[in-house]
Amino acid sequence: MSNLLWTFDIVLCGSLVWLAWQTLATADLFKATVLFIIFGLIMALAWARLDAPDIALAETAIGAGLTGALLLSGLAAISQPGTRQQSIKLDREK
Amino acid sequence: MSRLRKTELAKVGFGLIVAMIVTALGCAILALPGEESGLAGAVMLNLDQAGAKNPVTAVLLNFRGYDTLLEIAVLLLAVLGARALAVDESADDSEHFRSSINPVLIGFIRVIAPVMIIVAGYLLWVGGHAPGGAFQAGAVLASLGVLLVLADINWTQHLSDYSERILLTISLVVFLSVGLATMFNARNFLEFSPSTAKWCILLIEAVATVSIAVILLALFCCGKISNARKYHETTRGRVE
């Protein structure tokens, strides 16, 4: 059992570092945002493993959920500059 | 050619500096004293006077209530900044977007909205003796608000700008008033008496849940909840 938990912890830490690196290194901002959300969820798992369920809850709700929505909304605002009407047209054309 | 060498040298130098910082941080962490240090023992000793059986809530709302007060003030400052930048645009031409909303999303919200409200209330109440509390409950309520914005459900039409401001600031006002009320009973600022601590904490957390939810949702809506509809239009192209 303890061996299994050790393996789980090592995989958790490894994927956290890998996700953090991918989030920073990817050129596509949309991909980076999605990776950041996944990073938040895995981070919540790590907090749960550290016996900190309070922080795990807050990380899931705020770190992964709301920040992800905020980043997506900000990304939409910066990737479609110009007036609102133009951005709507761009949306339609896609 | 020499320019290329320079950038490569700079990269190597930068890498060396980062490696040195990481090594120093690692050494500092290894040099930390073991688990027996810290204030965990003191918290556990005084837990029966704190008004909350959950040590995290006891620290956040009672022993270190001042920190939580400042956290709420910082959140309020952030939303004030966003409001200062928000453009007040009441013109509403989103009618033709209503047809493009996914009906699955609306059906999903019908099912999930009552559940999210109950979960938020449960998280608020359970914070007294188990993991939970105002921040988590507020975040769940704010996520519900984000869902409503994405589905273009206009639930803020009867919410005036004035009442929105009251919702944003009420937790800071109540927190400060409770703190001042403790001073009238010959105690320090935010030093609850053991008999009333539970109700003080519950009052502060309940009001803070509402305010935190409104503040987080207002941040998503660029500062103003009543402005929500014009911002999600640009968002939806990417979210869907």
Side-chain angles (χ1 to χ4, degrees):
Chain A
M1 192 61 201
S2 146
N3 270 337
L4 205 67
L5 280 179
W6 263 103
T7 324
F8 182 71
D9 287 352
I10 290 169
V11 171
L12 204 60
C13 291
S15 50
L16 271 178
V17 173
W18 186 79
L19 277 169
W21 174 252
Q22 286 294 310
T23 309
L24 293 174
T26 181
D28 184 1
L29 285 178
F30 182 68
K31 198 175 156 194
T33 312
V34 174
L35 281 169
F36 178 79
I37 296 172
I38 302 169
F39 177 81
L41 290 174
I42 305 284
M43 192 74 208
L45 262 183
W47 284 121
R49 276 294 295 138
L50 287 169
D51 278 337
D54 293 83
I55 310 178
L57 271 174
E59 175 70 41
T60 321
I62 302 175
L66 275 172
T67 318
L70 259 177
L71 285 176
L72 279 176
S73 129
L75 179 66
I78 58 166
S79 60
Q80 292 158 352
T83 67
R84 193 162 144 249
Q85 294 301 325
Q86 278 171 348
S87 65
I88 290 171
K89 265 185 200 161
L90 279 174
D91 260 3
R92 286 269 141 135
E93 279 163 10
K94 269 179 194 168
Chain B
M1 198 63 192
S2 67
R3 192 167 182 171
L4 200 71
R5 293 266 329 236
K6 255 185 192 169
T7 51
E8 285 195 343
L9 268 179
K11 270 185 192 170
V12 171
F14 191 67
L16 275 178
I17 293 172
V18 170
M20 274 163 62
I21 293 174
V22 169
T23 317
L25 282 177
C27 290
I29 286 176
L30 287 179
L32 283 176
E35 276 190 17
E36 65 274 11
S37 69
L39 294 167
V43 169
M44 285 304 178
L45 272 181
N46 295 300
L47 199 57
D48 51 335
Q49 296 178 26
K53 293 190 198 77
N54 179 13
V56 177
T57 308
V59 170
L60 282 181
L61 268 297
N62 200 337
F63 302 143
R64 299 295 296 163
Y66 191 64
D67 292 7
T68 312
L69 175 72
L70 290 184
E71 267 174 34
I72 290 175
V74 165
L75 271 180
L76 187 63
L77 275 178
V79 87
L80 282 182
R83 276 175 82 89
L85 295 173
V87 191
D88 205 354
E89 191 182 309
S90 51
D92 185 13
D93 55 354
S94 66
E95 289 304 317
H96 57 282
F97 274 93
R98 193 150 289 165
S99 55
S100 68
I101 292 170
N102 194 337
V104 176
L105 179 61
I106 295 191
F108 173 68
I109 288 175
R110 282 218 179 96
V111 177
I112 201 81
V115 179
M116 286 178 91
I117 293 172
I118 289 176
V119 165
Y122 172 75
L123 279 175
L124 170 65
W125 179 255
V126 87
H129 54 85
F135 270 88
Q136 289 88 338
V140 169
L141 280 185
S143 319
L144 174 61
V146 170
L147 277 179
L148 292 177
V149 169
L150 290 179
D152 203 7
I153 295 171
N154 192 10
W155 63 280
T156 54
Q157 54 183 340
H158 299 301
L159 185 75
S160 67
D161 194 44
Y162 190 70
S163 40
E164 190 184 323
R165 284 185 217 173
I166 290 179
L167 285 180
L168 285 173
T169 50
I170 191 163
S171 72
L172 194 62
V173 171
V174 167
F175 212 144
L176 279 174
S177 324
V178 171
L180 289 176
T182 57
M183 290 175 82
F184 280 113
N185 294 332
R187 286 167 175 273
N188 284 325
F189 183 65
L190 282 176
E191 184 191 345
F192 307 136
S193 72
S195 54
T196 56
K198 183 181 176 184
W199 299 107
C200 290
I201 289 176
L202 192 61
L203 173 70
I204 292 171
E205 288 228 82
V207 182
T209 302
V210 176
S211 269
I212 288 167
V214 174
I215 287 173
L216 291 177
L217 182 58
L219 283 175
F220 180 76
C221 305
C222 299
K224 282 189 179 179
I225 290 181
S226 41
N227 271 358
R229 307 183 66 190
K230 69 190 173 71
Y231 286 106
H232 78 272
E233 287 163 12
T234 48
T235 318
R236 203 186 302 132
R238 216 57 205 255
V239 170
E240 272 190 3

